[in-house]
Amino acid sequence: MMESEGEKMVHVIEPILSGNLPPGFDSSTCRSVYVGNIHPQVTEPLLQEVFAGAGPLEGCKLIRKEKSSYGFVDYFDRRSATLAIVTLNGRHLFGQPIKVNWAYASAQREDTSNHFNIFVGDLSPEVTDATLFACFSVYPTCSDARVMWDQKTGRSRGFGFVSFRSQQEAQSAISDLTGKWLGSRQIRCNWASKGAGLGDDQQSSDAKTVVELTNGTSEDGQEKRNEDAPENNPQYTTVYVGNLAPEVTSVDLHRHFHALGVGVIEDVRIQRDKGFGFIRYSSHAEAARAIQMGNARMLFGKAVKCSWGSKPTPPGTSSGPLPPPAAAHFPGFTAADLAMSDVNLL
């Protein structure tokens, strides 16, 4: 059976479900979109004008906030709403990127006020609510998951919260999933501080009568504490390396990380009797890449574990690149011999 041109268009422009949507959200009957991170200078008539480009509007409501407003746009058909999400999400209005997504009734999210919330940090930029929920939904009592977003940039803040109906399963998730890979990073889990979690965005009462969407902004201080976390603090430039074999020396460790080629190494220290060491890089970004690339790589038969050092690099620390490490010595072989053996093995 032949599809109409309109049906083909819907298939082509269908947006990927992402952002702060309830688990299991079904957009098949939606005709309304949520608009977040709206610049205070944007008026309701301007919002109407911008979104009318996607199709005829049934209604438009702007909820003004001092720092960042939000609103809802209702279309007569789903195709127009779909087009608005695809074409207007990220559009700059007065230099501020708006967030456009499906709107939903608040009742579509389970009330998690009495549930057990855990904090999940070190999230990759591409992780959404749906991704986070999918990761933790292996636990049957997982009820919701939300990533916290930066209202100014529209980007993830790198952390979120997950709710559980069962305290025991929440504890199991903390124990089992800390250090597991989600996207391009290893996540870390802990109990959320009191008051932090999934109800952080308190919208005005006049919005309660219409569909609403939680922005995922934290007002309780959790966000401020997170800014001091190693992954967000540029003063952290040292990598902790654990699970080292007893025979690993500082030269071995230097050579191992030098081979990664992620940046300038300024210091190498090792505690051979305790099986760990530290590598200090010249910048926070280089250390971050070393953690990502160096974690779980084999060194003397053991997979090393990489994470941030426990303390930031003190301001004024004397710095300078270490000389390149000495090449590994293979008795009886020259570099030419090794190169030839590689060719013969191919």
Side-chain angles (χ1 to χ4, degrees), residues 272-293:
R272 294 184 66 179
D273 56 331
K274 296 180 179 178
F276 65 84
F278 299 94
I279 308 281
R280 192 180 80 230
Y281 282 86
S282 63
S283 74
H284 178 269
E286 292 172 351
R289 288 196 295 271
I291 292 172
Q292 183 178 346
M293 293 182 61

Side-chain angles (χ1 to χ4, degrees), residues 63-326:
I63 294 89
R64 288 186 169 279
K65 293 283 187 178
E66 184 179 345
K67 294 182 179 179
S68 179
S69 303
Y70 63 95
F72 303 92
V73 178
D74 303 318
Y75 288 94
F76 285 102
D77 60 79
R78 183 181 183 278
R79 185 184 307 157
S80 298
T82 302
L83 186 60
I85 295 173
V86 172
T87 60
L88 296 176
N89 184 47
R91 171 76 66 85
H92 282 70
L93 298 179
F94 292 101
Q96 191 162 302
I98 59 175
K99 290 170 58 178
V100 185
N101 206 342
W102 294 111
Y104 63 85
S106 57
Q108 287 180 255
R109 272 203 191 266
E110 183 175 349
D111 180 9
T112 59
S113 57
N114 293 318
H115 291 192
F116 300 93
N117 297 332
I118 70 171
F119 168 86
V120 186
D122 292 353
L123 296 179
S124 301
E126 70 273 13
V127 171
T128 64
D129 287 13
T131 315
L132 191 61
F133 182 79
C135 176
F136 285 85
S137 61
V138 293
Y139 301 94
T141 68
C142 179
S143 54
D144 206 359
R146 297 189 190 180
V147 176
M148 299 294 109
W149 301 91
D150 188 316
Q151 286 192 345
K152 292 182 179 179
T153 64
R155 298 175 181 173
S156 167
R157 295 185 185 276
F159 67 97
F161 299 94
V162 180
S163 284
F164 296 83
R165 301 179 198 93
S166 162
Q167 184 177 12
Q168 183 176 353
E169 285 200 352
Q171 181 60 67
S172 296
I174 293 172
S175 303
D176 298 344
L177 296 184
T178 292
K180 298 296 183 183
W181 289 88
L182 178 58
S184 58
R185 295 181 186 172
Q186 288 177 292
I187 60 174
R188 56 187 175 90
C189 309
N190 210 336
W191 288 108
S193 59
K194 188 176 181 180
L198 306 183
D200 294 312
D201 184 37
Q202 302 299 321
Q203 296 181 341
S204 56
S205 58
D206 62 342
K208 296 299 180 182
T209 57
V210 295
V211 287
E212 61 182 27
L213 187 76
T214 300
N215 266 332
T217 54
S218 177
E219 304 293 341
D220 57 17
Q222 178 70 52
E223 173 191 326
K224 290 184 174 61
R225 287 194 297 275
N226 192 68
E227 288 175 358
D228 292 329
E231 65 273 15
N232 296 326
N233 189 334
Q235 290 185 329
Y236 280 81
T237 62
T238 298
V239 177
Y240 165 85
V241 188
N243 198 39
L244 295 178
E247 59 268 34
V248 174
T249 66
S250 59
V251 174
D252 296 323
L253 193 60
H254 186 189
R255 184 184 298 123
H256 184 75
F257 277 83
H258 178 77
L260 296 179
V262 298
V264 176
I265 295 174
E266 296 186 339
D267 190 29
V268 178
R269 287 171 288 147
I270 193 169
Q271 297 279 343
R272 294 184 66 179
D273 56 331
K274 296 180 179 178
F276 65 84
F278 299 94
I279 308 281
R280 192 180 80 230
Y281 282 86
S282 63
S283 74
H284 178 269
E286 292 172 351
R289 288 196 295 271
I291 292 172
Q292 183 178 346
M293 293 182 61
N295 191 63
R297 288 174 68 96
M298 300 300 291
L299 179 60
F300 286 28
K302 298 185 73 174
V304 301
K305 295 182 179 180
C306 300
S307 60
W308 289 102
S310 60
K311 296 180 180 180
T313 302
T317 300
S318 58
S319 61
L322 287 179

Side-chain angles (χ1 to χ4, degrees), residues 23-65:
F25 176 76
D26 181 10
S27 68
S28 61
T29 60
C30 290
R31 294 184 295 108
S32 299
V33 300
Y34 164 86
V35 189
N37 197 41
I38 303 173
H39 193 282
Q41 288 183 250
V42 174
T43 63
E44 196 165 282
L46 175 58
L47 194 66
Q48 290 178 347
E49 182 181 343
V50 170
F51 279 81
L57 304 185
E58 185 176 6
C60 178
K61 183 175 182 64
L62 176 66
I63 294 89
R64 288 186 169 279
K65 293 283 187 178

